[in-house]
């Protein structure tokens, strides 16, 4: 492994040599998604290493676990319409940034080094302006050495509450965070990035866990009551096939955005496939006293038990199951009549990257590039033949496209590789229009969409000004080239 410092120094030279007059046009403006009068909450957020028992209670502890505010899966909750002003303090020994996944933040708070900010060095600070315009389930994580830092635990969750949801009367709101640990028997970390994994399906953890625990949690809920599960794949690599051992379960939100309830039992194979970063909210009706609902990942040969819901008698009577619909999502929607169609291939990297029309030296990007080096060591993947910078080549690829603020676009994404790629677009909530393989699923809103080998997926969105990356959320894929960006002006 090349040390980050060596990459950094090499990068300064490579970066400086790469700059030439730009064809990229002006820098985008940073648009706010909440009025300046929105209520503000100040939050002190620190990332640091700690020691945790990951293998189980009587097993050796693991050093170098990474967490926000000393809490694994730190969970933030705020009402819709709040602005978080986050005073972030990097107490890790490495560069980092914070990305607010799925939240429509101004792009200067998007946390992507070197595109929207320079990486924050050890001991450094940065203030993030995080408006929360949309109710739902989001999360935050670093966008610098993501494979390593997320792999060692650095993930936080955000719930943005809509007061109207209280009326739905759920008895329990319960999180299922799927995240494995890559440890040896003495609790030490194994390498998170391997060439073997990065160039195929990714490097998997050695120990499966739910909410950080290796023993699948058992959770009590009122018999005949209503549970809202908040499911997230927070793993760097793993894709799950989420399913419940009951017919009385429905998906009511995807990536935090409400949709007309989709009964799990009506979906193909009665599962919902979720790659890294994907979330769903599921309404589960509890059975009678003493009975259980088991929640599984059916993707592995032997189904993996994620969580058991145990029904306890609270005097409820049985009523017919009717999935609860959340208030409709309010994100900007694309204008399908005027949308421009763009086509992208997700592919393996073949030969050298096409090099950018480079940026002018006074562009903030040029400076940021020289100051930080959040890149992986190799490029195995590409989008339309461009790989994100890797190794000593820190130059950004050219933008996939320069888009117009407020205009609508359809991206047709074809996966021509042998592996699944959950594709995430920053700064937008898009509509998943269609898939060449999965039929019968009505269009829905999301920020990350699964693409299977030989599948074409179409998504549509209304472009919001900024520089926004578009990448695979299998973190080793992203760290080995599977990332591009759009400039919206
Ligand atoms: Cu979850 Cu580029 O991010
Ligand atoms: Cu991928």
């Amino acid at each position: 492994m090349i040390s980050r410092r060596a990459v950094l120094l090499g990068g300064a030279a490579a970066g400086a040599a790469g700059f030439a007059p730009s064809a990229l046009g002006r820098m985008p403006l940073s648009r706010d998604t909440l009025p300046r009068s929105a209520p503000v909450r100040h939050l002190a957020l620190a990332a640091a290493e700690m020691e945790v028992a990951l293998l189980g209670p009587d097993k050796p502890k693991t050093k170098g676990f990474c967490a926000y505010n000393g809490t694994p899966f730190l969970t933030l909750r705020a009402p819709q319409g709040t602005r978080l002003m986050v005073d972030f303090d990097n107490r890790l020994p490495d560069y980092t940034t914070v990305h607010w996944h799925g939240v429509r933040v101004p792009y200067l708070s998007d946390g992507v080094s070197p595109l929207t900010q320079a990486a924050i060095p050890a001991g450094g600070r940065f203030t993030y302006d995080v408006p929360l315009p949309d109710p739902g389930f989001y999360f935050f994580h670093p966008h610098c050495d993501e494979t390593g830092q997320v792999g060692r635990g650095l993930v936080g969750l955000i719930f943005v509450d809509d007061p109207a949801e209280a009326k739905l009367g759920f008895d329990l709101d319960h999180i299922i965070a799927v995240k494995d640990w890559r440890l040896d028997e003495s609790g030490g970390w194994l390498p998170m990035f391997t060439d073997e994994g990065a160039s195929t399906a990714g490097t998997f953890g050695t120990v499966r866990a739910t909410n950080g625990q290796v023993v699948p949690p058992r959770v009590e809920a009122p018999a005949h009551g209503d549970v809202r599960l908040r499911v997230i794949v927070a793993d760097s690599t793993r894709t799950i096939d989420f399913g419940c051992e009951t017919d009385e379960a429905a998906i009511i939100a995807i990536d935090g955005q409400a949709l007309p309830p989709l009964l799990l039992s009506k979906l193909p194979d009665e599962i919902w496939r979720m790659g890294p970063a994907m979330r769903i909210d599921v309404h589960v009706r509890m059975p009678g006293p003493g009975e259980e609902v088991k929640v599984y990942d059916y993707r592995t040969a032997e189904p993996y038990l994620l969580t058991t819901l145990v029904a306890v008698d609270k005097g409820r009577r049985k009523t017919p199951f009717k999935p609860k619909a959340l208030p409709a999502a309010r994100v900007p929607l694309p204008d399908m009549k005027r949308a421009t169609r763009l086509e992208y291939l997700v592919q393996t990297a073949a030969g050298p990257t096409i090099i950018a029309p480079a940026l002018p030296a006074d562009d903030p990007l040029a400076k940021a590039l020289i100051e930080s080096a959040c890149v992986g060591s190799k490029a195995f993947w590409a989008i339309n033949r461009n790989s994100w910078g890797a190794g000593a080549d820190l130059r950004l690829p050219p933008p996939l496209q320069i888009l117009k603020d407020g205009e609508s676009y359809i991206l047709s994404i074809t996966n021509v590789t042998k592996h699944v790629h959950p594709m995430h677009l920053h700064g937008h909530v898009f509509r998943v229009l269609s898939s060449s393989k999965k039929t019968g699923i009505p269009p829905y809103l999301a920020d990350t969409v699964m693409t299977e080998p030989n599948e074409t997926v179409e998504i549509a969105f209304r472009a919001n000004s900024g520089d926004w990356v578009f990448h695979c959320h299998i973190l080793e894929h992203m760290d080995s080239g599977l990332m591009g960006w759009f400039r919206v002006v």
Side-chain angles (χ1 to χ4, degrees), residues 99 101 139 141 143 146 277 424 426 469 471 473 478:
H99 168 57
H101 184 118
F139 76 118
H141 61 73
H143 226 284
E146 250 184 280
H424 171 47
H426 281 214
V469 285
H471 64 84
H473 222 289
M478 163 186 165

Side-chain angles (χ1 to χ4, degrees), residues 420-421 472 474 477 482:
V420 299
H421 301 288
C472 177
I474 291 178
H477 291 177
L482 223 177

Side-chain angles (χ1 to χ4, degrees), residues 443-455:
Y444 59 90
L445 297 167
D447 56 52
T448 306
V449 67
M450 184 54 99
T451 67
E452 309 268 344
N454 300 315
E455 182 184 25

